[in-house]
C-alpha cells in the first residue's frame, strides 16, 4: 500500500510555470506506475500524464503534450509534474495516483491509490 501527498499548486498567470510534487510513503514506491489526473469544476476527472516504474516510459494527454513533463525520483519516493506555458483551461485540482500495472495506463480505474489533490488556478 502507498500513501500519496501532492504539493506545489497555486495561483499563476497564463504562460507561467508550476512544478507539482507527489510524495509517497511505502517501501515499494519504485514498483508502481504513477499517474497525474485533474478535475475542473463541473467536469469529470481526466488523465494528464503517466510514468512507468523505471521512469523510462511516459505518456501524456494531447491537451498537455509538449507543455507538461512527468518525472520521478525513486530514491526519494517522489513523482513530479512540470507544467509550462500554463493556460486558463489547465485550472483544476491535480491528483497523483499509484497503480501496479507494469506499463503506463491512462485509465483511472488502474490506479487504486490517490492523493488528496492540489489546486492549480491559471488566470488569463
Amino acid at each position: 500500500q502507498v500513501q500519496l501527498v501532492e504539493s506545489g499548486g497555486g495561483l499563476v498567470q497564463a504562460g507561467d510555470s508550476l512544478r507539482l510534487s507527489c510524495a509517497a510513503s511505502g517501501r515499494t514506491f519504485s514498483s508502481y506506475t504513477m499517474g497525474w489526473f485533474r478535475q475542473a469544476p463541473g467536469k469529470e476527472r481526466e488523465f494528464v500524464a503517466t510514468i512507468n516504474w523505471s521512469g523510462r516510459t511516459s505518456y501524456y494527454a494531447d491537451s498537455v503534450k509538449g507543455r507538461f513533463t512527468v518525472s520521478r525520483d525513486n530514491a526519494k519516493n517522489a513523482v513530479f509534474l512540470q507544467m509550462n506555458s500554463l493556460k486558463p483551461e489547465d485550472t483544476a485540482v491535480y491528483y497523483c495516483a499509484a497503480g501496479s500495472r507494469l506499463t503506463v495506463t491512462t485509465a483511472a480505474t488502474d490506479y487504486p491509490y490517490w492523493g488528496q489533490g492540489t489546486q492549480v488556478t491559471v488566470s488569463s
Side-chain angles (χ1 to χ4, degrees):
Q1 195 165 359
V2 61
Q3 293 183 327
L4 305 171
V5 179
E6 302 94 335
S7 62
L11 171 62
V12 297
Q13 294 186 332
D16 286 351
S17 298
L18 273 178
R19 188 187 194 218
L20 304 184
S21 298
C22 175
S25 64
R27 292 175 292 178
T28 58
F29 171 77
S30 60
S31 67
Y32 287 101
T33 287
M34 300 299 296
W36 285 97
F37 291 78
R38 66 187 182 187
Q39 187 166 19
K43 295 188 178 181
E44 294 187 354
R45 189 171 299 189
E46 65 173 358
F47 165 77
V48 175
T50 179
I51 188 166
N52 77 330
W53 66 273
S54 69
R56 293 194 183 112
T57 302
S58 58
Y59 185 78
Y60 299 90
D62 287 343
S63 59
V64 306
K65 199 172 297 181
R67 300 187 298 122
F68 291 11
T69 302
V70 60
S71 61
R72 67 189 297 162
D73 185 338
N74 286 340
K76 296 182 178 179
N77 278 16
V79 63
F80 309 98
L81 186 67
Q82 178 67 43
M83 306 186 295
N84 298 331
S85 302
L86 283 161
K87 304 176 181 180
E89 51 263 44
D90 294 319
T91 295
V93 176
Y94 283 72
Y95 300 88
C96 73
S100 57
R101 288 269 186 171
L102 295 179
T103 60
V104 294
T105 174
T106 65
T109 52
D110 286 335
Y111 297 90
Y113 307 110
W114 292 79
Q116 83 291 346
T118 186
Q119 177 71 47
V120 172
T121 303
V122 184
S123 64
S124 57

